[in-house]
Amino acid sequence: MTDNQRTEPLGIRRRSLLLGGAAGAGALALGVGPLSTPAEAAGFVKGADVSWLPQMEAQGYYWNNSAGAKQDLFTILKGYGITAISLRTWVNPSSDPANGHCGIEETAQLAQRAKNAGMDVLIGFHFGDTWNSVGVQNPPAAWASMAYSQMLDAMYDYVYHSCNVIKYYGVTPAWVKIGNETNSGVCRPVGSVSRPAQMTGLLNAAYDMSKQVFPNTPVLVHLAQPQKLDSIQNFLNAYQDNGGKWDITGLSSYAQGGNVAGVLTNMQTIQSSYGKPVMQVEYGGPVGKPTQVRTALREFIAGLKGFGGLGTFFWEPEGYPSFNAYNSSAWDESTHRPTAAMDGFLDA
């Protein structure tokens, strides 16, 4: 079945929403049966983003466990107490192994694989064709010349369609993340934080369509650099004041050493100020400093648990430096074994 065949016409989608259509409507349209609801989180969530996994495997990369035996990556991660997998998805990505792929079909297939391994899944929308981050929020190329009203329709259709593809593969995400590090807005300039009503409209469209397909799945907004509390408050105040909808505040922090304590204090402030639980959706550190990364991971887990934070995700721990330009990893490429950084999940 092609992606186009999975897309429900815009009028049908909106009519279903207005009539309070059940999430099962998408499943019926796709000819699949009822799907299970997300697993209830049993305490603190320990997770990892492994979106590079299929591209790395295709290039012959592999991973050993701590004993030096080659093993499926999900099996190794579960041995460290990791129960959840975070996966990003882009709209029309290139075929570049490190900076492309992650289209919704590939993402759904990897989500299915994670589910079959007994893992919960977080689906993260970037709303771009490649990386969006705290300093970059470029819309997909196909949306770039759209007016706000057109982009709003595109957002409705894209998220609704994408969630139904995930459902088609038999996966009900435990979480959906709308946007990636959206401190400055989404799909700029149309959805810039300086245009808060439009920013909120776009993100609320994503929220609504996620809930249309997965009504019991919490939806996160995602912000970066909690050490800069003003930046996060600027976004959340604008979003809240314009009727923004979200269930969990996702935060990125790669803080190390003496910076961890201040970041945790700000995370607690964010949680108490807005009445939404906090989840650290990105963490990592230099592959060459594994004990430092382990220590900070322990501190984040203990600190988040202390004020009721929901969990933490290590970003691409399997990402060998020869594959990508990033230095954040938790596997030694010379031995293919996990570094001491991963022990932070066990020791915490």
Side-chain angles (χ1 to χ4, degrees):
M1 185 179 291
T2 67
D3 280 359
N4 288 337
Q5 287 173 308
R6 292 202 188 98
T7 304
E8 199 170 83
L10 181 62
I12 295 175
R13 181 264 300 152
R14 281 191 166 162
R15 192 177 308 118
S16 177
L17 181 61
L18 290 171
L19 293 174
L28 292 174
L30 296 170
V32 299
L35 302 172
S36 60
T37 57
E40 291 295 327
F44 191 85
V45 177
K46 298 177 182 178
D49 187 321
V50 296
S51 300
W52 275 325
L53 178 59
Q55 299 90 273
M56 294 186 72
E57 288 176 329
Q59 293 191 13
Y61 288 95
Y62 66 93
W63 297 268
N64 292 335
N65 60 26
S66 59
K70 184 179 178 181
Q71 201 169 22
D72 175 76
L73 182 63
F74 289 134
T75 302
I76 301 174
L77 293 174
K78 289 172 72 175
Y80 282 96
I82 289 175
T83 60
I85 296 298
S86 176
L87 302 174
R88 62 181 167 270
T89 192
W90 294 325
V91 180
N92 292 303
S94 74
S95 59
D96 181 89
N99 304 304
H101 286 268
C102 299
I104 191 57
E105 195 81 17
E106 287 181 314
T107 299
Q109 291 170 6
L110 187 53
Q112 183 185 58
R113 182 175 162 189
K115 177 196 170 185
N116 291 342
M119 314 286 268
D120 287 334
V121 176
L122 184 157
I123 297 294
F125 290 106
H126 273 243
F127 304 133
D129 294 333
T130 188
W131 307 103
N132 273 323
S133 63
V134 63
V136 178
Q137 290 294 329
N138 294 323
W143 300 9
S145 62
M146 289 181 178
Y148 170 64
S149 61
Q150 297 170 311
M151 191 176 286
L152 191 63
D153 280 345
M155 181 68 81
Y156 274 118
D157 286 345
Y158 168 66
V159 175
Y160 182 73
H161 162 72
S162 296
C163 287
N164 270 309
V165 174
I166 297 291
K167 176 176 274 192
Y168 173 81
Y169 279 91
V171 177
T172 298
W175 311 272
V176 169
K177 181 165 68 71
I178 51 172
N180 192 77
E181 298 186 337
T182 59
N183 302 51
S184 63
V186 63
C187 297
R188 295 188 313 188
V190 172
S192 170
V193 72
S194 63
R195 300 176 179 179
Q198 293 185 176
M199 176 190 77
T200 302
L202 291 170
L203 289 172
N204 275 352
Y207 181 97
D208 288 343
M209 290 301 96
S210 176
K211 292 291 189 177
Q212 171 83 349
V213 182
F214 302 118
N216 297 319
T217 295
V219 175
L220 294 81
V221 293
H222 176 194
L223 302 161
Q225 299 177 344
Q227 69 271 23
K228 300 178 180 178
L229 189 57
D230 288 350
S231 172
I232 290 177
Q233 291 171 328
N234 185 51
F235 172 91
L236 290 176
N237 289 342
Y239 191 54
Q240 187 176 64
D241 290 348
N242 284 272
K245 304 172 187 177
W246 81 107
D247 305 314
I248 297 168
T249 304
L251 298 168
S252 298
S253 180
Y254 294 78
Q256 304 286 306
N259 295 321
V260 174
V263 168
L264 281 166
T265 296
N266 286 358
M267 286 180 168
Q268 184 173 10
T269 297
I270 293 162
Q271 178 164 298
S272 61
S273 296
Y274 297 94
K276 310 288 186 182
V278 162
M279 178 181 283
Q280 185 180 16
V281 293
E282 288 186 27
Y283 169 76
V287 66
K289 298 182 178 180
T291 56
Q292 171 186 292
V293 177
R294 178 189 62 194
T295 298
L297 178 56
R298 289 174 181 163
E299 292 173 354
F300 270 119
I301 291 175
L304 285 160
K305 283 182 175 180
F307 65 79
L310 298 182
T312 190
F313 285 77
F314 201 116
W315 186 79
E316 298 283 10
E318 87 295 357
Y320 292 129
S322 66
F323 176 79
N324 62 81
Y326 301 91
N327 192 36
S328 176
S329 174
W331 248 264
D332 185 324
E333 192 159 7
S334 64
T335 65
H336 301 280
R337 297 186 185 193
T339 71
M342 291 296 295
D343 293 338
F345 284 111
L346 296 176
D347 299 340

